[in-house]
Amino acid sequence: MSDDSRRRILARIRGIGGGRDAASIERELAALGAAPGAPAPDEDPVTSFMCNVLRNHGSVDIAADRRAAVEAVGRYLYRELRSHRLVAGNDPHLAAMPWRDGGVLPRFGTLENGEQAALSYAPWGIAETGATVLVTGRYSPSSNHLLPVHHLVLVESANILPDLEAFWQRSELPRGKRPRGISFVAGPSSTGDIEAKLVYGAHGPQAWHVIVMGEVAPDALQRANELAGRAAQSIPQDA
Amino acid sequence: MNAQDPEHYSFIDAAQRALGDPAAVAQRDMLARVTPQLRERAVAGFGEFEALRQHLRRVRQHTLDNLDYYLPRFELEATHNGNRVHYAETARDLNGIVLDICREHGARRVAKGKSMVTEETELTASLEREGLHVVETDLGEYIVQLAGEKPAHIVGPARHKSIAQIRELFLAAHKLGERKLERAEDLVAEARQVMREHFLGAEVGIIGANALIAENGYSMLVTNEGNGDLCASLPKVLIVCTTLDRLLPRATDAAALQRLLVRSATGQDQTCYTSFYSGPRRAADADGPLETHIVLLDNHRSDILDSDYRDMLQCIRCGACLNHCPIFAAAGGHAYGSVYPGPMGSVLAPLLDSLETYAELPNACTSCGRCEEVCPAAIPLPDLLRDLRHDQQRAGITPQRWRRGMRLHAWLAGQPRLYHWLTARGIGLLNWLGRRRGAFRRLPFAGGWTGERDFPAPQRGTFMQQYRALQREVPDDE
Ligand code: SF4
């Protein structure tokens, strides 16, 4: 059934289409130019990123190096869960952290139902949207960002890109090298489906904590907080 | 397209019933006030929104003009990514393809994400008839599934339900003993608990797509709850149900769509999850489905592509036209009798089904133009609705009384002197009769109007009389 349908649908589309050659189509597309992006809250992309994470109802911490990052994870876990337990993907970036220094007890692997907190390593952050980019693979199971109650993400300040285009232009995705999933995670899971009231933890995390590791301007986090304070809430429903 | 019974369906009757429920009317009024404000704020914050809108319109126009290039390209890339790509000409075909895949895997449980395409084909009911247990995992969809209803809005399916109604549905459906369930938080927590078990047990996940990217074969999914991502990641088989008109050439075009869609749909700058899926899990992946299918539905879209209604294929399903439509606010989504309500539904439903079945919808319009103003795809919805009315008139679907009336009006409009003379007399008479109350409680031939509200008496002469008087008063500068 599907093969015949395919033939008929493609024949109809061909009958309607211009039947033009690929080069002229690509030329026409390139001539359409680029889309404008959202205005950045700050000149510094890292400050903009942190501001947008806060606007997306996340929380932010900064860490100068790996040791400080581990301590930041430990602080968060103790504050929120009175625990030191954590699940982390087998990512080499995470495996090489000095976990003992922060008193954190990570289990490397995929989150099991019932485990509360998971840490992901985000290869990129997007300043424009305040999103952390997670790429599924051997080291980053999607369960770790979709199922925990608390989702922690580590992103390096040097890997924060200004906008969505910068991510796509940088990511070469040739055949055979395309990850199964690329997720822009920008907030704890939420719903406005009940009388338009915003509730977190719809299916996935109730809390989303982003740790920015590396060089960050001294007053950047404070400034991000101030800028985010001006933003108000809106109703999320599935677009 | 839908379980609508064309013999007995009447928009007017359904709208009348909807207006009879004061609590529901108040809820719709609140949403009609709040949702435009949210969009307005997000659009204003973006700055160059109009440039973004026009850019994406050109890109989508280009894509539709060259669908014969982009569709095979997408198919090729998606196949290379490890998907099986299926084509469905009709709703029934799509349901059949999905059922076959489920059967092939001996599936009994299906976790379904939000997808208007599968609402259009009534996939859930069709799978359930074959004994599958299908759970809608988007909270709004889940609520309407429990209520045995259709979504009332393409973005917020359960916006019409009160918290008390949802509580009753949950208490009846979930056997979880005594509990309070007073706040929205309690209801969300319960849904999370019930749904989590289903996600972990489902053999098949079904999702829709907000875009298909020709250059790399990825599909884009935009959500806040993350349920679609769970459907795409936990079950061992994933089926993406979508349509030909979701195609975009490049990933950067999907980024532009993301900006436009979210601000128009919910007034957010960014949803919690924007995900791109290419296919089944890779050899070393820690998780993900083992098999993925993409089902591309036509269901008259290629006919629309070949018609004067091609612009409608630019719709990105944001729901902004619904949120800004006075008819939608008054009548509610269910009155339309189609899974696509509001202005976009009034155009789409007759095109996807028939002008006869949805004869009233192109007329459910005040021509206020708000929908076109806010539509991120810049679709000339009022023009398309007017064209549909013309088509109805030509096809003799418009009731004879209306056709006669319109013929009479057309004839009169062609006789300017007579027209002006008659309207001047009519207005003069109304003016004189209404001089004391300033309005009429009853008027011959206008019972439809005066049944619900007073008809204001004209204050002065006709437009032309006032125009001439003004011209006499204001000296010409030139
Ligand atoms: S017609 Fe325009 S406003 Fe309405 S849902 Fe489609 S894109 Fe949105």
Side-chain angles (χ1 to χ4, degrees):
Chain A
M1 170 176 68
S2 190
D3 275 353
D4 287 347
S5 300
R6 176 182 183 278
R7 229 188 9 257
R8 282 194 294 266
I9 290 173
L10 287 176
R12 268 207 298 278
I13 303 276
R14 266 196 299 275
I16 303 161
R20 294 164 54 195
D21 63 291
S24 77
I25 293 173
E26 295 291 349
R27 258 199 316 278
E28 183 180 284
L29 178 64
L32 296 178
D42 194 82
E43 278 172 15
D44 170 35
V46 177
T47 308
S48 291
F49 170 75
M50 293 193 297
C51 167
N52 282 331
V53 167
L54 294 165
R55 285 178 177 173
N56 293 338
H57 306 278
S59 50
V60 183
D61 209 343
I62 49 177
D65 52 24
R66 289 175 175 191
R67 193 193 158 104
V70 166
E71 284 167 6
V73 172
R75 271 199 308 277
Y76 180 88
L77 291 176
Y78 188 73
R79 190 179 70 226
E80 297 297 327
L81 296 162
R82 292 280 180 272
S83 158
H84 297 287
R85 294 193 181 281
L86 171 80
V87 179
N90 243 325
D91 195 302
H93 294 92
L94 299 180
M97 308 265 282
W99 291 109
R100 283 221 196 112
D101 295 356
V104 179
L105 299 170
R107 181 178 75 71
F108 292 101
T110 304
L111 186 113
E112 302 286 338
N113 199 19
E115 287 179 304
Q116 298 282 301
L119 173 71
S120 308
Y121 176 81
W124 308 106
I126 310 288
E128 178 188 357
T129 55
T132 49
V133 186
L134 302 178
V135 179
T136 60
R138 180 202 295 248
Y139 304 125
S140 56
S142 42
S143 301
N144 286 12
H145 73 264
L146 294 173
L147 292 175
V149 179
H150 293 263
H151 182 218
L152 293 85
V153 192
L154 183 69
V155 61
E156 296 184 43
S157 58
N159 293 341
I160 289 172
L161 305 171
D163 52 29
L164 294 163
E165 278 79 2
F167 169 78
W168 288 113
Q169 277 149 14
R170 182 172 292 244
S171 322
E172 285 191 9
L173 296 168
R175 282 183 195 161
K177 293 236 164 74
R178 293 172 187 155
R180 174 183 80 82
I182 302 172
S183 283
F184 295 74
V185 177
S189 139
S190 67
T191 178
D193 273 339
I194 299 180
E195 291 195 343
K197 184 171 192 286
L198 189 61
V199 179
Y200 293 103
H203 292 282
Q206 273 163 9
W208 179 58
H209 186 63
V210 178
I211 298 163
V212 181
M213 185 171 78
E215 205 177 309
V216 177
D219 64 339
L221 184 53
Q222 193 193 335
R223 193 163 158 67
N225 264 301
E226 283 164 15
L227 289 165
R230 291 186 213 135
Q233 286 195 353
S234 59
I235 306 176
Q237 294 188 20
D238 278 352
Chain B
M1 178 170 74
N2 172 1
Q4 201 49 252
D5 174 0
E7 295 287 298
H8 301 103
Y9 162 68
S10 156
F11 174 80
I12 304 281
D13 293 348
Q16 201 80 43
R17 278 195 301 277
L19 285 165
D21 177 349
V25 169
Q27 177 124 337
R28 287 198 297 273
D29 281 351
M30 181 274 289
L31 289 166
R33 250 192 341 270
V34 173
T35 49
Q37 284 169 9
L38 294 173
R39 175 198 165 273
E40 186 56 41
R41 196 174 56 199
V43 167
F46 187 82
E48 292 183 79
F49 196 77
E50 186 54 30
L52 176 66
R53 185 190 192 211
Q54 292 305 333
H55 171 81
L56 201 72
R57 179 173 171 76
R58 285 192 291 270
V59 170
R60 284 176 63 87
Q61 190 66 56
H62 163 91
T63 317
L64 291 173
D65 289 348
N66 298 289
L67 210 54
D68 53 334
Y69 170 67
Y70 287 115
L71 181 57
R73 179 137 186 240
F74 171 78
E75 185 193 336
L76 186 70
E77 296 302 329
T79 309
H80 268 290
N81 294 346
N83 297 288
R84 276 188 58 198
V85 179
H86 309 256
Y87 286 79
E89 285 181 290
T90 63
R92 211 196 169 114
D93 291 349
L94 180 139
N95 295 351
I97 291 166
V98 173
L99 180 63
D100 286 349
I101 298 168
C102 291
R103 281 200 178 132
E104 210 178 290
H105 291 274
R108 286 182 303 122
R109 278 164 302 179
V110 176
K112 198 168 151 292
K114 188 167 177 305
S115 146
M116 286 314 295
V117 171
T118 58
E119 287 292 341
E120 180 182 324
T121 69
E122 300 186 334
L123 176 66
T124 300
S126 141
L127 294 179
E128 282 176 339
R129 274 197 298 276
E130 300 299 326
L132 282 134
H133 178 40
V134 185
V135 172
E136 297 283 354
T137 61
D138 171 84
L139 182 57
E141 290 280 349
Y142 180 63
I143 293 166
V144 291
Q145 184 183 28
L146 290 183
E149 291 176 10
K150 295 275 163 200
H153 188 291
I154 61 170
V155 174
R159 276 186 183 170
H160 60 294
K161 288 269 176 241
S162 69
I163 196 163
Q165 289 171 319
I166 300 169
R167 182 189 306 124
E168 291 310 313
L169 289 169
F170 277 28
L171 288 173
H174 308 149
K175 304 292 171 224
L176 294 171
E178 275 290 303
R179 59 210 189 278
K180 277 202 176 136
L181 288 185
E182 271 165 5
R183 304 165 314 146
E185 286 82 352
D186 305 332
L187 292 161
V188 172
E190 180 160 314
R192 177 190 170 100
Q193 178 194 341
V194 172
M195 225 80 97
R196 183 63 65 95
E197 282 164 29
H198 193 75
F199 277 124
L200 295 171
E203 296 97 351
V204 172
I206 297 176
I207 58 170
N210 294 93
L212 304 171
I213 303 170
E215 70 176 357
N216 57 25
Y218 276 84
S219 64
M220 175 169 89
L221 185 69
V222 179
T223 77
N224 275 307
E225 293 183 12
N227 64 307
D229 294 278
L230 286 163
C231 292
S233 303
L234 297 186
K236 63 179 198 249
V237 179
L238 168 66
I239 309 173
V240 181
C241 295
T242 184
T243 54
L244 314 167
D245 48 329
R246 294 301 107 201
L247 267 165
L248 283 172
R250 306 160 296 196
T252 46
D253 301 320
L257 174 68
Q258 192 181 330
R259 292 180 183 122
L260 203 62
L261 172 65
V262 179
R263 289 177 173 85
S264 302
T266 62
Q268 290 170 283
D269 294 335
Q270 171 69 27
T271 50
C272 302
Y273 301 96
T274 309
S275 300
F276 295 82
Y277 291 109
S278 67
R281 74 165 74 166
R282 307 301 181 225
D285 278 7
D287 58 7
L290 298 167
E291 192 176 303
T292 56
H293 299 260
I294 299 173
V295 190
L296 293 165
L297 174 70
D298 182 347
N299 199 25
H300 297 296
R301 283 163 179 84
S302 54
D303 299 333
I304 300 175
L305 186 69
D306 198 19
S307 75
D308 295 339
Y309 297 100
R310 177 187 269 218
D311 277 346
M312 200 55 220
L313 295 180
Q314 293 233 8
C315 172
I316 60 172
R317 307 287 191 268
C318 71
C321 59
L322 280 61
N323 299 341
H324 289 75
C325 175
I327 304 284
F328 180 86
H334 287 151
Y336 290 78
S338 143
V339 294
Y340 300 112
M344 58 83 77
S346 298
V347 177
L348 211 48
L351 295 177
L352 295 180
D353 192 305
S354 75
L355 266 176
E356 285 87 350
T357 309
Y358 292 103
E360 288 165 298
L361 297 195
N363 298 285
C365 172
T366 64
S367 299
C368 71
R370 277 182 98 193
C371 51
E372 182 177 3
E373 244 169 61
V374 298
C375 173
I379 301 172
L381 291 155
D383 291 354
L384 298 184
L385 288 167
R386 187 203 51 217
D387 293 348
L388 282 169
R389 294 197 289 271
H390 276 171
D391 288 353
Q392 285 182 327
Q393 161 89 3
R394 275 196 289 270
I397 297 165
T398 315
Q400 213 177 36
R401 198 157 48 93
W402 290 19
R403 271 185 285 152
R404 283 205 191 118
M406 278 188 282
R407 266 205 298 275
L408 179 67
H409 185 266
W411 176 82
L412 199 56
Q415 324 282 324
R417 274 167 188 276
L418 181 62
Y419 185 92
H420 290 146
W421 187 85
L422 274 176
T423 49
R425 295 296 155 292
I427 295 281
L429 184 65
L430 288 175
N431 200 337
W432 183 75
L433 289 173
R435 66 191 179 283
R436 235 185 279 143
R437 273 198 74 235
F440 296 93
R441 282 217 190 94
R442 242 171 270 126
L443 265 184
F445 309 117
W449 176 292
T450 53
E452 301 290 336
R453 55 218 181 279
D454 287 354
F455 186 90
Q459 293 302 303
R460 288 194 274 161
T462 64
F463 172 79
M464 285 310 290
Q465 285 170 333
Q466 293 185 47
Y467 177 72
R468 283 200 199 103
L470 263 176
Q471 268 194 329
R472 277 195 296 273
E473 278 170 29
V474 182
D476 204 340
D477 293 346
E478 269 132 344

